Every structure is written in C-alpha cells, then in structure tokens.
Amino acid sequence: MLNTSLPSWFIGIRKIIDWLTNFLNVIGTLLIVALMILVNADVIGRVFFSAPVSGVPELVSMSIVAIVFLQVAQAFRMKRLTRTEVVIDFIQRRAPKVRHLLELVFSLAAIGLVWQLYWASQPLFLKAWKRGTYEGTVGDFTAPIWPVKFIILIGCIALLIQLTMHAATSGFHLFSRTGSRK
C-alpha cells in the first residue's frame, strides 16, 4: 500500500524493496509446489510400487523452515501477521498520531527482535557451511543444511528491511502535518 503523502524517493525505494520481498515470496510458493509434488510422489511410490522416495521427511522438515523465512517479509508487508487491528483502528479513529507512534514503537521493537534472531543464526550458518553438516542417513539420503540456514539469514534481512520501511513510514506520518492518514 503506497501512500502519496510520502516523499517520492521513499516510494521508489519501497517499490524496489517490495518487489524483492515479493520475489522471495514467489520462491517460497514454488518450494511449496515442489514439496507437494515430492510428497505425492512418495505416497504414490509407497502405495503402488512399494518404493518410497528417499529423504522425503528430511526434505519436508527443512523446507518448512525455508518456506517460513522466504515468506515472512511478504506476510508482514501485506499485514498478514497476527496483530490486533481492533485496538489499532480504534486508536486511528480517535488519535491518528498515537497510532503512528505505536506503529513506530512496534517496528523498532520488532527490528530489535529480528536482529537478535539474525545475529544468533549467523554462527549456525557458518558452522553448517564449514563442517558440511547434513540431514539424513549416510548410505540412504543426505542433504546439506547450510542452504536452509542461509535462507533463514536472507529471510531475517528481508524482514528487517520491511520493518525498517514500516518504521520510516510511521515516522513520516508521525512527524508530518497530515499524520492522520494510514
């Protein structure tokens, strides 16, 4: 949702960031489709051919984490993360500037939380990368876990950028003369 009361340079930056966030979301969606095909192939292989596809449980568990982190920034951008809109809308009707202040505080707190998640995930990625850590059983199926750890970092960065844009938007509205708009 673009707002014309924002500076044009900011809107341009936000369009680029929103495009990149949407791109990650599409990759997550394609991963869901691939996972559905894999699970169906496993079920068909088990039932009709007594030959399951190796590694399906491992791939499913790793893919779920990857999908969440590929799509979390888009979920936030589209306002699909859990929040209490009733209270926020009530405040918007009575004191729009207070709503923008709350949105700014929320964004800054979320930035701090997601930064901690990013910071804690970095060593896990580096460890998985250096050691060649894998999921599965040697001789049957193994998959490296570093790609999922890397996707966690990418998802955190994308969410941090979206949260920063949200904080900036709230700040623009809070300190503008026309701060009553959403």
Side-chain angles (χ1 to χ4, degrees):
M1 168 192 274
L2 296 178
N3 191 324
T4 55
S5 69
L6 298 170
S8 59
W9 61 268
F10 184 77
I11 292 171
I13 291 170
R14 191 155 88 176
K15 282 181 182 179
I16 293 167
I17 290 169
D18 289 350
W19 184 88
L20 291 171
T21 302
N22 194 44
F23 179 73
L24 290 176
N25 187 54
V26 168
I27 293 171
T29 301
L30 292 174
L31 188 54
I32 291 170
V33 171
L35 209 55
M36 289 177 11
I37 291 169
L38 181 65
V39 168
N40 281 311
D42 183 49
V43 170
I44 290 168
R46 282 179 193 275
V47 172
F48 295 110
F49 305 110
S50 296
V53 177
S54 293
V56 170
E58 292 87 356
L59 290 174
V60 167
S61 67
M62 291 189 326
S63 295
I64 289 171
V65 173
I67 290 164
V68 166
F69 279 91
L70 285 168
Q71 295 187 328
V72 69
Q74 179 74 355
F76 173 77
R77 182 176 89 85
M78 300 304 293
K79 298 183 180 183
R80 297 217 169 123
L81 287 180
T82 305
R83 42 187 285 157
T84 309
E85 290 293 329
V86 173
V87 174
I88 294 170
D89 290 344
F90 177 79
I91 292 169
Q92 171 70 26
R93 286 190 298 273
R94 307 241 177 329
K97 292 279 188 181
V98 174
R99 180 208 172 125
H100 297 307
L101 177 64
L102 287 175
E103 294 282 359
L104 181 61
V105 169
F106 163 79
S107 297
L108 295 175
I111 287 168
L113 181 67
V114 176
W115 176 255
Q116 290 298 316
L117 180 62
Y118 174 80
W119 193 254
S121 297
Q122 272 185 324
L124 300 175
F125 163 70
L126 292 172
K127 181 178 169 184
W129 174 267
K130 289 177 184 175
R131 292 185 180 178
T133 311
Y134 60 88
E135 181 82 21
T137 308
V138 176
D140 180 33
F141 173 84
T142 59
I145 63 169
W146 70 263
V148 175
K149 303 289 185 189
F150 187 61
I151 288 171
I152 290 170
L153 295 178
I154 291 171
C156 285
I157 290 168
L159 184 54
L160 282 169
I161 293 169
Q162 280 295 337
L163 286 166
T164 301
M165 296 304 288
H166 188 262
T169 300
S170 297
F172 279 128
H173 290 305
L174 183 62
F175 297 110
S176 72
R177 295 190 192 277
T178 59
S180 60
R181 296 187 201 165
K182 274 187 170 179

